[in-house]
Amino acid sequence: MVFNTARTTKETQGDIMMTGGHLLATVDTPKLSLQLWIFQLVFGMSFVVVLVTGIIQSFALKVWIMRQSANLHNTMLNKTIRAPLYFFKAINPARILSRFGQDIDEFDIQVPYHLGFVLEGGLMLVIKVCLVCSIYVWYTTPAIVITGLLILVDAFVNGGGRELKHYHSINKTQVIEHVSTTLSGLSVIRLFNKERLFIHRMYQMLDQHSSTHLLYRLSHHCVGCGVSLLCVVAVITLNAMCVFNKGIVSTASAGLAIVTLNGVCTYLPLLLKIKSDFYSHTTSVQRIIHFIGNVEDECSKDLPLSDNNQSPTQEQQEDRDEHKPIRGAIEFRDVKLRRYQREGPPGLVLCADIRAGERIAVVGMSGEERYSFLDALLRFYELDTGNILVDGVDVSTLQLHTLRSIICVIPRELVLFEGTLR
């Protein structure tokens, strides 16, 4: 037997059914205000937008940084190739290798990774804090104060962190230089029985390198302690507001604010650590720019025609050919040349007049005279005083490309091929 009952409410309608002496009641469920497919569409489109935006952002950031890195690398390579010879006498090769190796590697790999992480994490934290402040408007003032304190702590610690990273890189370069120098002169070191001296120096350099590396890591822990303390203050402040504003804000909104702020406080120390690493890795860019700025160009005194890589026009080439020496008469007028030290004694002092077609021999106690003679003639080093004339033309007024193309040098090498002739 089925009994139809009256509608008890406006939204529901029930039926009572008698089955085996029991009454069964069925109640109609309320209708949803929106269809389910609308929620699914919004969620799916949000996922697609986030995915596409993340891919575009990562690709664009990587391409932009790689382009800047390539420009810096090419500029540094061109400056190094065109540097005068005394630059390579004064600088250790390990420093050049460190610029082209470690610093370029950090700019290519570490900088884009940390920069993308900082941008994404910073934007996410700002949105979450704004969400909490929209739920509790009174929380805006504590949020501004705590954010200012975080900025002060980060600026105070990161300033020293960058300097520690700079000294860490310098000490690492010194260790590499010491190892390369020791290995190249190992036979002399063993001959004079100075193994203990070089081992002691190596230990000292390793201690300095380890000390700076340890202090750099401890600076991150210092930032973490300060940030964690401020995060505890932020959470306690929000919980107090939730308790004292009970009934004004719904329980669901209060729970959302507390969970969101806890996520911010959990993620913030990691974000600041990665931000500190990012600023530390940017010191590699500063070292590259400093290296480029301190390298002089060998062709800096030439005309703009030889300073670029463009091929000369026909009129410019004809003008060059007209001013080329063709006979080969060389005249040295009070030439003084310093090869190694700018303040030391000159390595070459020469006054000579070599007529065209003559064969001469440079005789000295060592090979320095021959090398200095060719260095001065080919302008590997600029003269301190005096002039060199070739067929009456001062070589200092010639372009380097023109000067070195008209002089043929046959190097003296004992070996033509390595290995057997076959």
Side-chain angles (χ1 to χ4, degrees), residues 11-268:
E11 293 81 13
T12 63
Q13 180 179 2
D15 295 330
I16 300 176
M17 181 180 299
M18 178 67 70
T19 305
H22 298 282
L23 292 177
L24 299 177
T26 61
V27 182
D28 295 339
T29 57
K31 295 182 180 180
L32 295 174
S33 59
L34 292 176
Q35 298 295 330
L36 182 61
W37 67 270
I38 296 180
F39 292 100
Q40 295 175 346
L41 179 62
V42 172
F43 181 79
M45 293 301 296
S46 301
F47 177 76
V48 172
V49 169
V50 170
L51 181 62
V52 174
T53 305
I55 293 175
I56 294 175
Q57 181 263 341
S58 300
F59 181 76
L61 183 64
K62 187 68 175 178
V63 169
W64 178 73
I65 291 183
M66 289 297 294
R67 184 177 299 174
Q68 301 302 321
S69 176
N71 291 336
L72 277 179
H73 177 272
N74 294 336
T75 303
M76 184 168 58
L77 180 61
N78 292 331
K79 294 282 288 185
T80 305
I81 292 176
R82 297 164 66 91
L85 286 183
Y86 66 82
F87 170 77
F88 299 98
K89 302 281 187 182
I91 193 173
N92 195 294
R95 184 179 175 186
I96 301 176
L97 294 177
S98 178
R99 297 296 172 269
F100 282 95
Q102 177 185 355
D103 294 337
I104 291 295
D105 177 73
E106 289 188 358
F107 193 25
D108 287 341
I109 299 176
Q110 301 296 334
V111 171
Y113 168 74
H114 289 86
L115 180 58
F117 201 95
V118 168
L119 292 177
E120 294 176 3
L123 181 61
M124 183 183 67
L125 292 185
V126 169
I127 293 174
K128 288 186 175 182
V129 172
C130 292
L131 175 62
V132 175
C133 293
S134 64
I135 297 175
Y136 288 96
V137 182
W138 307 278
Y139 191 72
T140 305
T141 302
I144 294 176
V145 174
I146 293 173
T147 302
L149 293 176
L150 284 174
I151 293 174
L152 290 177
V153 171
D154 181 68
F156 177 75
V157 178
N158 281 337
R162 286 193 295 269
E163 294 298 326
L164 288 173
K165 182 65 176 178
H166 178 67
Y167 286 116
H168 170 70
S169 301
I170 292 177
N171 292 331
K172 186 176 181 179
T173 303
Q174 290 178 353
V175 171
I176 297 174
E177 291 178 358
H178 183 74
V179 171
S180 62
T181 304
T182 304
L183 292 178
S184 61
L186 189 59
S187 59
V188 180
I189 295 173
R190 291 177 177 176
L191 178 63
F192 289 95
N193 196 18
K194 296 295 182 180
E195 294 91 344
R196 293 184 178 274
L197 175 62
F198 281 83
I199 292 174
H200 180 67
R201 290 179 181 176
M202 185 67 183
Y203 283 157
Q204 288 181 340
M205 293 180 181
L206 287 177
D207 289 340
Q208 294 177 358
H209 175 266
S210 301
S211 300
T212 54
H213 183 70
L214 178 61
L215 291 175
Y216 174 69
R217 292 301 178 187
L218 290 177
S219 65
H220 292 324
H221 293 286
C222 182
V223 174
C225 292
V227 172
S228 299
L229 182 61
L230 292 176
C231 288
V232 170
V233 175
V235 172
I236 292 176
T237 305
L238 181 61
N239 290 332
M241 286 187 178
C242 293
V243 172
F244 290 109
N245 292 282
K246 183 180 180 181
I248 300 177
V249 180
S250 64
T251 306
S253 299
L256 176 62
I258 293 174
V259 171
T260 303
L261 188 61
N262 286 333
V264 170
C265 294
T266 304
Y267 186 74
L268 185 60

Side-chain angles (χ1 to χ4, degrees), residues 318-335:
E318 291 177 355
D319 183 68
R320 281 185 178 185
D321 295 337
E322 290 178 359
H323 294 84
K324 280 185 179 180
I326 55 176
R327 298 176 60 247
I330 304 175
E331 182 180 358
F332 288 83
R333 294 181 179 177
D334 299 328
V335 172

